[in-house]
Amino acid sequence: QRTALSHAFGGLAAGLVGTAKFYLWLGEGGAQLTPFRTTELVAEVILGFVTLTGSLMAAGKLQEIKWIPQRPVTYPLQNVTNIGLLALAVILALLLVVNPTGAWAPIAFPAIIALALIFGVLLIIPIGGADMPTVISILNSYAGLSAVAMGFVLDNKLLITAGALDGSSGLILSIIMCRAMNCSFTNVLFGAFGH
């Protein structure tokens, strides 16, 4: 739970830095919002806010909070809904990359944040409490990737290196844990995948 909460704060920090940088550069006329920087900003924000709500849900499941059941919560068209939310966030992100200073940009960016926050919750609720250690390890990987994107945004090579190490080690640990528990990595990663 402590690790999950740490990841949540890490994701929140990355998401807030990305949001602040976007609006700062947009307010300065948008000259700094190159396609590469905008791509890094939206990646940082999506991964950061998915990590935030996903980690809070994981901690809640481990705590056995009554309104966050430990058992997997599934519903009809769950995978379609999750993929649809993620696809919509990616489409909005692509539109921002193409034209980051468009009139709709100040509206699209908060929409991406909202979709990422919702996706983080919906990604974790169909996974049972027994798989939470693996899920937390995957969320650690997402936080690392978000830090990599933040490193590019802030032009900080140390942050890029540390985030890449964190992201890759979290992914490797997740795969090893799945093998040790004899469960499918895709099932844990995508939550009730194929059910």
Side-chain angles (χ1 to χ4, degrees), residues 57-76:
M57 290 297 296
K61 277 182 176 273
L62 289 171
Q63 183 64 35
E64 296 184 44
I65 295 173
K66 57 184 166 185
W67 47 271
I68 304 177
Q70 214 175 22
R71 62 175 176 72
V73 177
T74 57
Y75 52 90

Side-chain angles (χ1 to χ4, degrees), residues 6-184:
S6 295
H7 295 160
F9 285 118
L12 176 62
L16 290 177
V17 168
T19 303
K21 275 291 185 182
F22 177 79
Y23 284 107
L24 175 69
W25 287 338
L26 191 64
E28 292 173 350
Q32 304 250 28
L33 289 169
T34 63
F36 179 76
R37 278 188 174 158
T38 307
T39 301
E40 294 302 328
L41 278 171
V42 293
E44 176 186 348
V45 165
I46 289 172
L47 287 167
F49 286 118
V50 165
T51 303
L52 168 64
T53 51
S55 296
L56 290 175
M57 290 297 296
K61 277 182 176 273
L62 289 171
Q63 183 64 35
E64 296 184 44
I65 295 173
K66 57 184 166 185
W67 47 271
I68 304 177
Q70 214 175 22
R71 62 175 176 72
V73 177
T74 57
Y75 52 90
L77 300 175
Q78 171 183 301
N79 291 324
V80 174
T81 303
N82 287 356
I83 291 168
L85 281 172
L86 184 60
L88 185 55
V90 169
I91 289 167
L92 287 173
L94 289 173
L95 290 173
L96 268 180
V97 169
V98 172
N99 185 11
T101 57
W104 50 271
I107 299 165
F109 202 81
I112 291 170
I113 293 170
L115 289 167
L117 290 168
I118 295 166
F119 181 69
V121 172
L122 297 181
L123 186 68
I124 303 305
I125 59 169
I127 303 172
D131 291 327
M132 280 306 112
T134 310
V135 169
I136 290 168
S137 180
I138 292 168
L139 291 166
N140 175 44
S141 181
Y142 293 167
L145 294 173
S146 183
V148 170
M150 184 165 53
F152 280 111
V153 169
L154 299 176
D155 197 21
N156 186 321
K157 292 179 178 61
L158 181 61
L159 195 54
I160 294 168
T161 306
L165 287 170
D166 188 28
S168 58
S169 62
L171 181 63
I172 292 166
L173 178 61
S174 302
I175 293 168
I176 291 170
M177 288 171 76
C178 283
R179 285 182 182 166
M181 295 185 334
N182 198 26
C183 63
S184 164

